[in-house]
Amino acid sequence: MSIAIEFDNVGKMYRLGRVGTGTLSHDLNRWWQTSVLGKDDPYLKIGQTNDRTTKGESDYVWALRDISFKVEQGEVLGIIGKNGAGKSTLLKLLSNITTPTTGCIHYNGRIASLLEVGTGFHPEFTGRENIYMNGSIMGMTKQEITRKLDEIVDFAGVERYLDTPVKRYSSGMTVRLGFAVAAFLEPEILVVDEVLTVGDAEFQKKALGKIQDVSQGQGRTVLFVSHNMASVRSLCSRGIVLHNGTQIFNGYANDAVDTYAAQCNVVERNLITENILQKMDYLSDLRISFNGTEQSETTILGNQQTVELRIEGYTSVPVDVAAKVIFKTLSGTPIMSYAEGRCTGILEHLEGHFSFVRHICLPQYHAQGDYLIDICMHKPSVLDYFYAKDCAIVHMQPSDSIHGYALKLSHEGAFSMLSQK
Amino acid sequence: MHEHIITPRHRLLDIDLKGLWRYRDLYVMYIKRDIATKYKQTILGPLWYVVQPLLTTIMYMFVFGRLAGISTDGAPQPLFYFAGILLWNYFSETFNLCSDVFTANAHVFGKVYFPRLVVPLSSATSNLLKMFIQLCLFICIYIYYIITLPAGTLSINWSILLFPFLVLLLAFHAIGWGLIFTSLSTKYRDLKILVQFGIQLFMYATPVVYPLSAAPEKYHDIIALNPLTPIFEAFKYSALSCGSLDWTGLLYSAIFMLIVLFISVVVFSKTERDFMDTV
């Protein structure tokens, strides 16, 4: 396989704050130092990593730093990371919209970037005229567009409005039209940035399918930025994770998504009780411990069969309660739960100072991985006494298996079924 | 397939001529867009192209002709002012569009790459079409005067053949200056404010509403330094037999234009690489 894109130590620095009177003096100083004295750019050295939450000392930050990776032809590379991680900057560098401060990028073939759909649409132009306008901005020739016009119109589903100015279109229709034009570009490299978040479910499915066709059917390389982990998993073969402008992971897409999810779900509050979202006023002095700890991070060992849930506190009103613990993947999909109230209908009567303890049996073959849990005390279908969402992260170690293979959450799911003896 | 490299470094004169040619359909689309969308949903439509210079001419006849009493060197007032407005409108509108290329198109330039020169070139061309419509009106008025005035008062001489050359000279002056200003104003917005009223004042430094011969002797040389002066004078000479055909002046104007154009392309290609960070 040949290399389609190669990033070699790419960095991009931005100046923070207002561009104003300071600019001229910095420019003059930079020009003096680099052109006249032949030194390095004085402002490049003091750039800092791009952590937007802390105050830095320098006016310059690295939006991207030391990014190096290769993409083979025909691969679909997912780029994920939190807001401000540098994803869009990376795509802008590749699309030639702005240049890197350091390093270089090599690529083979024509690049079409879909950083936005419908770039260059003019509201007064009709749908047909805008297809030509947008297509030629994307680098298609008039002939190419004419040849594909029917397909584009059909894909967008706007036949009836083709000769109506785009300003009369609904926003959904505009997006569909824009994406349709882009979908029929035939570049060797397609760069897609989060454009599918608009449009209805049917169209999103269609658009994702189209991207899949482009990469698998036609052997083109795709770079895909998204916050939708499900589509990254299903579309991409490889992924890189960016964090504050640096690359923290480069590997299989599934593992990249897990890395990102773990990074996002670092439970910042230390105690389980600090994660309580809502609570009845008559409950007080709550202490919750899970697996023997009140901390919001715990490890369940491989040979462990039960896990203890202990809730203590004071209630000024007598209540009948059941407990619920929901285990979720890091991306938030619930996968198993302890729900005594729903399953067995048993409620416990609590008055004054109480201590509520359950020893929850774990499934026999549970999978190794990181889980998020919600803990809730409720009267099923009536009311929640308290609800602690994403209150702890549980590192589940592999359950003992005689064959030496541990089930993994990301591969086999949360737990495994057995056949009838 | 073709190998590309993106690096922080760049050459001094970095014009992507091949790319420009590849995007020729976009150039046509931009021209079409400029013309077709300007007067959409108006009743007069393209008639506005001729209404505007017509009203301006009438106003100039009143202000400069009647109130100020500036001579037109013997040419009929409407023709004299219209001739000036024809060229000046082309220059100032092309310059205005070009001097705003980066800021006005930031939303497009920030999303997709194509050779940025497509936009100023298409603006210059669409204004050319607009000028052509106005030229037709000019010819109509011209014919009217030929018929009504005694024969021989108004005559075209051979130098009218220079007209395409004059327009080209004017176009590249406008593009060159426009590109320099737009490149610098991505960072320093002061220039944009300067341009807005500067271009209005610059009209008075150019023989648009007065003939060069009407200027007092001591200002004569200063006005002649303006590289646009020979262009306006030559046009009025060829069509209205007033003004002067100054070959050295035209040569000066052409050399000036080439220098400005060269500088502008260098500055523009340097700016287009990362103007999105500062615009």
Side-chain angles (χ1 to χ4, degrees):
Chain A
M1 278 285 195
S2 60
I3 301 293
I5 307 169
E6 182 179 352
F7 272 63
D8 186 12
N9 264 316
V10 172
K12 175 75 187 174
M13 196 177 66
Y14 282 112
R15 184 174 197 271
L16 291 183
R18 281 181 298 185
V19 178
T21 36
T23 337
L24 191 58
S25 67
H26 279 204
D27 280 355
L28 289 176
N29 188 14
R30 178 181 289 129
W31 173 80
W32 177 253
Q33 300 265 349
T34 55
S35 305
V36 182
L37 301 180
K39 291 187 195 164
D40 287 340
D41 191 334
Y43 298 103
L44 278 184
K45 287 181 224 156
I46 50 178
Q48 296 185 322
T49 53
N50 185 19
D51 184 351
R52 70 189 131 87
T53 51
T54 56
K55 195 167 156 51
E57 300 137 28
S58 162
D59 266 355
Y60 292 86
V61 291
W62 289 96
L64 279 181
R65 184 155 215 183
D66 302 335
I67 306 289
S68 296
F69 63 87
K70 289 177 186 172
V71 190
E72 281 177 5
Q73 197 201 325
E75 249 181 348
V76 184
L77 178 76
I79 299 169
I80 48 186
K82 295 186 207 174
N83 287 337
K87 305 180 296 290
S88 300
T89 307
L90 194 150
L91 296 193
K92 274 186 186 164
L93 293 181
L94 183 60
S95 318
N96 225 333
I97 286 162
T98 177
T99 46
T101 316
T102 60
C104 65
I105 305 166
H106 298 258
Y107 64 91
N108 270 311
R110 189 161 73 148
I111 291 189
S113 37
L114 258 180
L115 302 191
E116 179 190 70
V117 288
T119 311
F121 270 16
H122 194 288
E124 297 285 357
F125 262 1
T126 66
R128 187 193 306 274
E129 287 167 323
N130 268 317
I131 290 176
Y132 279 98
M133 186 76 213
N134 186 233
S136 36
I137 280 187
M138 303 282 229
M140 289 163 101
T141 61
K142 200 176 170 188
Q143 256 179 333
E144 275 180 282
I145 303 169
T146 311
R147 206 170 60 230
K148 291 178 189 155
L149 189 67
D150 290 341
E151 281 179 281
I152 293 173
V153 173
D154 189 50
F155 188 84
V158 292
E159 175 108 53
R160 189 151 184 203
Y161 285 80
L162 200 55
D163 292 308
T164 306
V166 160
K167 62 178 176 182
R168 310 253 177 265
Y169 280 31
S170 77
S171 52
M173 269 159 56
T174 317
V175 171
R176 294 168 77 107
L177 188 66
F179 186 84
V181 179
F184 289 93
L185 285 169
E186 284 177 351
E188 279 85 30
I189 300 167
L190 180 66
V191 175
V192 187
D193 185 10
E194 200 83 77
V195 288
L196 311 173
T197 42
V198 271
D200 54 19
E202 178 224 340
F203 184 72
Q204 282 190 27
K205 208 174 144 193
K206 212 162 147 184
L208 284 175
K210 186 71 201 175
I211 294 178
Q212 217 147 20
D213 284 356
V214 164
S215 65
Q216 289 167 2
Q218 303 160 20
R220 296 171 202 284
T221 314
V222 181
L223 255 72
F224 183 62
V225 165
S226 179
H227 285 290
N228 183 344
M229 292 304 134
S231 49
V232 172
R233 270 188 212 274
S234 66
L235 269 180
C236 304
S237 46
R238 284 203 319 122
I240 61 175
V241 182
L242 297 179
H243 180 67
N244 289 345
T246 51
Q247 179 184 328
I248 57 169
F249 183 86
N250 180 0
Y252 289 113
N254 273 331
D255 298 336
V257 172
D258 290 342
T259 311
Y260 170 68
Q263 193 201 7
C264 280
N265 286 294
V266 177
V267 182
E268 279 166 16
R269 294 175 200 86
N270 297 323
L271 292 177
I272 293 176
T273 46
E274 286 173 42
N275 290 292
I276 292 178
L277 278 188
Q278 45 138 320
K279 167 176 96 64
M280 290 299 160
D281 293 336
Y282 44 80
L283 287 178
S284 55
D285 301 332
L286 275 177
R287 296 179 64 183
I288 306 170
S289 87
F290 184 77
N291 199 24
T293 174
E294 291 184 33
Q295 303 294 316
S296 57
E297 187 168 359
T298 182
T299 301
I300 293 179
L301 302 173
N303 54 7
Q304 201 174 328
Q305 280 160 0
T306 63
V307 52
E308 186 199 62
L309 170 69
R310 178 184 291 271
I311 303 168
E312 291 172 339
Y314 176 78
T315 171
S316 52
V317 174
V319 288
D320 294 306
V321 303
K324 183 161 80 171
V325 181
I326 303 170
F327 285 72
K328 303 183 294 188
T329 63
L330 293 179
S331 46
T333 317
I335 40 179
M336 57 184 178
S337 66
Y338 168 72
E340 53 177 21
R342 299 236 181 251
C343 301
T344 61
I346 298 170
L347 299 181
E348 188 166 319
H349 186 72
L350 302 177
E351 270 187 67
H353 290 280
F354 65 86
S355 173
F356 178 98
V357 183
R358 289 288 182 274
H359 290 92
I360 301 166
C361 297
L362 292 168
Q364 193 180 356
Y365 293 108
H366 55 256
Q368 170 190 12
D370 292 345
Y371 298 76
L372 275 175
I373 58 167
D374 292 356
I375 299 175
C376 154
M377 207 157 86
H378 65 158
K379 188 183 252 178
S381 304
V382 180
L383 79 157
D384 291 341
Y385 294 108
F386 74 79
Y387 198 103
K389 190 173 188 318
D390 298 338
C391 63
I393 185 161
V394 177
H395 307 295
M396 193 89 83
Q397 293 199 338
S399 58
D400 290 336
S401 148
I402 46 171
H403 304 294
Y405 178 80
L407 299 177
K408 290 193 184 69
L409 179 59
S410 53
H411 295 133
E412 281 89 5
F415 49 90
S416 186
M417 291 169 281
L418 299 176
S419 63
Q420 201 173 28
K421 291 241 167 61
Chain B
M1 264 194 270
H2 193 64
E3 161 113 22
H4 305 261
I5 305 173
I6 303 173
T7 58
R9 266 171 280 280
H10 68 98
R11 279 170 293 142
L12 188 62
L13 192 64
D14 198 7
I15 349 177
D16 182 11
L17 283 178
K18 235 188 254 172
L20 270 177
W21 175 245
R22 201 155 60 76
Y23 278 88
R24 60 192 181 276
D25 287 330
L26 180 62
Y27 166 76
V28 176
M29 281 311 292
Y30 262 112
I31 296 171
K32 196 177 158 196
R33 196 183 85 165
D34 282 350
I35 292 175
T37 59
K38 182 140 190 207
Y39 295 116
K40 277 223 171 155
Q41 244 183 47
T42 57
I43 296 166
L44 292 183
L47 267 183
W48 279 112
Y49 284 131
V50 294
V51 172
Q52 187 259 346
L54 213 54
L55 289 178
T56 315
T57 305
I58 294 168
M59 202 50 147
Y60 283 2
M61 282 164 64
F62 179 69
V63 176
F64 300 113
R66 290 280 159 77
L67 291 183
I70 299 174
S71 120
T72 57
D73 245 4
Q77 274 190 3
L79 283 179
F80 183 84
Y81 292 124
F82 206 119
I85 289 165
L86 192 68
L87 291 186
W88 180 256
N89 271 0
Y90 178 70
F91 175 78
S92 70
E93 280 171 27
T94 307
F95 172 78
N96 274 335
L97 284 174
C98 289
S99 70
D100 204 23
V101 165
F102 281 127
T103 25
N105 295 285
H107 59 285
V108 176
F109 288 178
K111 296 297 177 190
V112 63
Y113 176 79
F114 53 86
R116 310 306 193 201
L117 275 175
V118 167
V119 181
L121 289 179
S122 65
S123 302
T125 318
S126 62
N127 277 337
L128 211 55
L129 288 171
K130 193 173 145 185
M131 188 182 75
F132 182 74
I133 298 174
Q134 295 172 353
L135 186 66
C136 293
L137 181 67
F138 179 75
I139 293 170
C140 292
I141 304 175
Y142 199 89
I143 291 170
Y144 168 81
Y145 273 102
I146 285 189
I147 296 166
T148 51
L149 285 178
T153 345
L154 210 56
S155 67
I156 301 177
N157 52 53
W158 65 270
S159 61
I160 196 73
L161 295 174
L162 282 176
F163 185 67
F165 167 72
L166 296 180
V167 172
L168 218 59
L169 207 55
L170 203 58
F172 282 106
H173 265 298
I175 294 173
W177 286 108
L179 295 189
I180 291 175
F181 274 100
T182 188
S183 303
L184 296 178
S185 66
T186 56
K187 224 171 188 180
Y188 307 105
R189 288 291 163 86
D190 314 50
L191 288 172
K192 204 173 159 182
I193 301 164
L194 175 73
V195 160
Q196 278 165 4
F197 69 87
I199 191 73
Q200 288 171 5
L201 297 184
F202 191 60
M203 187 182 94
Y204 297 104
T206 312
V208 177
V209 292
Y210 57 86
L212 187 58
S213 57
E217 200 58 41
K218 58 176 176 175
Y219 299 124
H220 199 282
D221 291 343
I222 300 174
I223 296 170
L225 274 181
N226 179 348
L228 299 186
T229 303
I231 304 175
F232 280 82
E233 284 291 300
F235 177 55
K236 286 176 184 166
Y237 173 79
S238 58
L240 306 172
S241 306
C242 64
S244 59
L245 184 62
D246 176 7
W247 286 107
T248 10
L250 284 175
L251 187 67
Y252 160 74
S253 180
I255 292 169
F256 203 103
M257 179 274 279
L258 287 174
I259 295 171
V260 168
L261 196 64
F262 178 78
I263 296 173
S264 73
V265 172
V266 170
V267 177
F268 187 83
S269 63
K270 182 173 158 49
T271 310
E272 72 170 357
R273 295 165 55 81
D274 57 4
F275 85 101
M276 275 317 295
D277 305 341
T278 48
V279 73

